[in-house]
Amino acid sequence: MTVDLAAELTAARVLAIIRGTDTAAAIAAGTALLEEGVRVVEVALTTPDAVRAIEALRAVAPAGSLVGAGTVLTAADVERVAAAGAQFVVTPAVVESIPAAARRGLPVAAGALTPTEAYTALRMGASVVKLFPASVGGPAYLRAVRDPFPQIPFVAVGGVGLADVPGYFRAGAIAVGLGGPLVGDAASGGDLDALRARARTYLAAVREPAGS
């Protein structure tokens, strides 16, 4: 069954991005995030043996959670992650993997920064547009890009700190994507207890009303 990625991210509010230097640590970090209640987790293909990490996290993910692949650039990447059980893919840019995944019925969060890129990604089959790197323009830029494209579901990704979260939701983001600010060095062997604490803090922040 095809995942409605926009609806899932709207409900989850957080997309956790795991990008590390160690496969076992990446699996441990993803497992900790899922156990703390993060519902949508992406493993970047720049992580060593990311496909194995995706398979492992799919095996332990609670019902209602999603595990996907990030930094998916090519049609070949799409085939690899689909075989591993990835439930969605994420790209850093407008690339060939978008239509390749869409043809397979695999939802895509496509990276885009400009209005042209956002519209192009949607036309190529993206389910969601990942405004990346969001920190370049902040919430005000997201609001400006959304004005002509209110139908595009945007996720703000890239340098989103805890203090930035409310502003992005007020600007119309359906979710925020959190890599370094949330995961830190946990996916490379860092402190999992600290990761769990950050996860609880971010989850509490995204549950606050956008106008608060």
Side-chain angles (χ1 to χ4, degrees):
M1 186 176 71
T2 301
V3 169
D4 184 340
L5 187 59
E8 294 290 344
L9 285 168
T10 300
R13 311 273 276 176
V14 168
L15 166 63
I17 303 163
I18 297 174
R19 188 186 302 276
T21 59
D22 180 84
T23 311
I27 294 169
T31 301
L33 289 166
L34 291 165
E35 289 175 350
E36 291 298 332
V38 175
R39 288 179 46 188
V40 187
V41 174
E42 157 199 343
V43 180
L45 290 187
T46 51
T47 302
D49 207 357
V51 167
R52 181 161 67 88
I54 292 167
E55 291 172 340
L57 292 176
R58 277 298 315 270
V60 300
S65 300
L66 298 177
V67 177
T71 323
V72 177
L73 302 176
T74 67
D77 288 340
V78 171
E79 295 303 314
R80 285 197 299 137
V81 302
Q87 293 164 287
F88 63 93
V89 302
V90 183
T91 80
V94 179
V95 288
E96 69 177 72
S97 57
I98 299 170
R103 285 192 295 269
R104 287 189 64 103
L106 200 58
V108 185
L113 181 61
T114 67
T116 298
E117 291 171 349
Y119 183 70
T120 300
L122 199 71
R123 291 290 301 270
M124 291 172 71
S127 306
V128 170
V129 170
K130 179 182 88 170
L131 187 71
F132 177 78
S135 58
V136 168
Y141 181 72
L142 169 61
R143 184 178 293 109
V145 174
R146 278 194 72 244
D147 280 348
F149 301 119
Q151 79 280 14
I152 298 180
F154 280 97
V155 178
V157 181
V160 180
L162 188 63
D164 305 315
V165 168
Y168 282 112
F169 284 122
R170 285 195 296 268
I174 63 167
V176 291
L178 305 170
L182 170 61
V183 180
D185 62 354
S188 300
D191 188 341
L192 289 177
D193 288 336
L195 170 63
R196 289 178 181 276
R198 289 192 298 271
R200 290 191 291 269
T201 299
Y202 267 102
L203 286 172
V206 300
R207 287 169 184 147
E208 291 294 322
S212 65

